[in-house]
Amino acid sequence: MQGPPRELDELLRALTRGDPSAVSDEDLARIEAALEADPGLTAALAAEPAGVGDPLVAAVGGTTPTPTAEEWARVWDNISAGTAAAMRPAVARRASVWLRLRVPLAAAAAVLLAIGTWWNWERRGGDAWEIRLAADVEIDDIDMQDSTTPVVIRLRPDGPVVIWALADMAG
Amino acid sequence: MNSLVRSSVDTSELRQIDAATRGDAAARHALFERYREVAYRVALRITGRHEDALDVVQDGFIRAFDGLAEFQREAGFQTWLLRIVSNRALDLVRARRVRLAVPLDADDADGRATVPADERSPQPDAALEQSELAARLRVAIETLPPDQRAVFALYATGELSYGQIAETLGIPIGTVMSRLFHARRRLYERLPDLAAEWGVETPPPK
């Protein structure tokens, strides 16, 4: 069976070797396209063991802690129980109904604060809320699930600021 | 779906799976003992926390045993279990991963992964070095987006083929290679001293 073109073969080797500088983003796109088009190439790569000889893998493996025998026994006890009670934490932690309710409580508090701020503003006959694009907010990472819209309440000396985080429609 | 892996699932494991499907506790325990370590390593690399990883392993095995009747034996129990474990771990990470900014002490001024102050402890030199390396790796891995983190977690077990990783995550193998490439590049950007030590050239940070 004829092998892949030499350059592609070299790129694949660099990729599996974990050499970030030897493969550009354009090369990566070519590799993905080639894999999609060639089932034989896909099968050959699929059979290759991943991580062999990679010092990063060795470092990660060498620094992974090992659960104790007691911890494994507790995990197994919970698994073998196989009931709703088995969904309790594997490691004993203080259970608190308030911890489980913290997210919905925080959401409710945010909504109440927003309503309260609006009502207070209306009652004082203030101007309509200023709506502007925030230029001084940096959100490094935020999880937006389904149709929910994250709301952030930022408290400043001159009053709260409500920040609605919207998905970047530009992609 | 055509499997990328024509796994030669051994017949002894198939017998164990059949027995486990019937509720045989000894067979289930045997499967647990055989795959708990790799499941834990994957869960730990995705969640970054020991307690969460144990929870995920526990939950994963419960779901796996509960769903044995639907399990397709061609793929292998390990692949199927790790799919459940990685999905569960990602769910947990996404549920708690709402943050506004990276804590200032997570990285030093050059963006390198550093050890949080409260994780340093007085230990003998070799143990301290290992402990700090573990913490730096954990911090660096936690900066990976969830999809890259899942691929890297499976890759870092050193026990799977690229095809098994693709099958576990239900993604094309080209996507595995792409996410892995970006994950490693990002990790080496965070760990430039280790990259230099290992002779890995890194492109300039983006």
Side-chain angles (χ1 to χ4, degrees):
Chain A
M1 186 177 74
Q2 195 171 16
R6 182 169 170 271
E7 190 191 28
L8 184 62
D9 184 52
E10 286 174 359
L11 287 174
L12 276 171
R13 288 181 194 280
L15 195 61
T16 55
R17 206 168 50 231
D19 188 355
S21 64
V23 180
S24 68
D25 289 346
E26 291 73 25
D27 291 331
L28 200 56
R30 282 186 53 212
I31 291 170
E32 283 190 82
L35 287 169
E36 210 168 317
D38 187 344
L41 183 62
T42 298
L45 182 59
E48 272 206 38
V52 174
D54 188 338
L56 195 52
V57 171
V60 169
T63 56
T64 300
T66 305
T68 64
E70 291 73 24
E71 286 173 326
W72 280 135
R74 191 178 299 120
V75 169
W76 174 248
D77 286 344
N78 291 340
I79 292 170
S80 59
T83 61
M87 299 305 284
R88 65 181 177 272
V91 177
R93 285 180 278 189
R94 280 201 201 95
S96 167
V97 66
W98 296 111
L99 284 177
R100 288 197 294 274
L101 291 176
R102 67 190 185 282
V103 171
L105 282 176
V111 169
L112 288 174
L113 181 59
I115 293 173
T117 304
W118 167 82
W119 176 80
N120 190 45
W121 198 256
E122 283 284 296
R123 188 171 63 84
R124 292 192 291 166
D127 297 328
W129 278 6
E130 178 188 5
I131 300 176
R132 60 178 173 86
L133 287 177
D136 60 350
V137 175
E138 180 179 327
I139 299 177
D140 182 69
D141 186 26
I142 194 164
D143 185 13
M144 299 172 64
Q145 299 185 17
D146 298 325
S147 60
T148 59
T149 301
V151 176
V152 177
I153 307 295
R154 183 177 173 187
L155 299 178
R156 298 197 301 202
D158 57 345
V161 172
V162 179
I163 302 173
W164 299 84
L166 303 176
D168 181 3
M169 304 306 287
Chain B
M1 182 179 88
N2 289 327
S3 172
L4 289 170
V5 177
R6 298 286 177 256
S7 57
S8 53
V9 179
D10 61 74
T11 52
S12 66
E13 180 172 295
L14 284 176
R15 282 196 295 271
Q16 272 180 347
I17 293 170
D18 288 338
T21 305
R22 294 190 298 270
D24 185 300
R28 291 188 173 195
H29 190 256
L31 289 170
F32 170 71
E33 287 209 320
R34 185 171 181 179
Y35 294 114
R36 67 188 188 188
E37 301 283 352
V38 67
Y40 170 78
R41 289 200 298 273
V42 170
L44 180 67
R45 291 306 160 195
I46 295 177
T47 64
R49 289 163 172 74
H50 173 70
E51 292 81 5
D52 286 347
L54 288 178
D55 280 348
V56 167
V57 169
Q58 175 183 299
D59 194 17
F61 271 100
I62 289 174
R63 289 167 190 251
F65 290 148
D66 281 350
L68 272 175
E70 289 80 41
F71 166 57
Q72 310 249 339
R73 278 137 173 81
E74 305 79 46
F77 184 81
Q78 177 178 261
T79 300
W80 187 57
L81 173 68
L82 292 183
R83 177 182 302 167
I84 295 171
V85 165
S86 55
N87 285 338
R88 185 71 188 95
L90 286 172
D91 287 344
L92 194 150
V93 167
R94 291 185 178 118
R96 61 168 153 85
R97 197 175 168 81
V98 179
R99 58 189 177 92
L100 299 181
V102 177
L104 287 177
D105 60 358
D107 294 327
D108 65 14
D110 296 326
R112 297 183 303 168
T114 58
V115 179
D118 60 359
E119 291 195 31
R120 301 188 193 118
S121 59
Q123 295 176 5
D125 285 347
L128 176 61
E129 194 175 318
Q130 196 71 355
S131 173
E132 291 201 345
L133 174 60
R136 289 186 64 206
L137 285 168
R138 179 182 58 78
V139 168
I141 292 169
E142 284 191 348
T143 68
L144 297 176
D147 56 353
Q148 291 179 20
R149 199 189 302 187
V151 169
F152 183 77
L154 291 166
Y155 170 80
T157 63
E159 296 186 21
L160 303 174
S161 67
Y162 291 107
Q164 286 174 314
I165 295 173
E167 191 153 5
T168 299
L169 296 175
I171 56 177
I173 197 166
T175 306
V176 169
M177 306 310 290
S178 174
R179 290 181 185 175
L180 191 54
F181 172 80
H182 290 296
R184 284 147 113 187
R185 183 166 65 181
R186 191 166 181 147
L187 289 174
Y188 281 129
E189 286 172 1
R190 296 272 175 175
L191 304 162
D193 52 329
L194 294 179
E197 182 181 323
W198 297 331
V200 176
E201 288 185 42
T202 54
K206 292 194 168 199

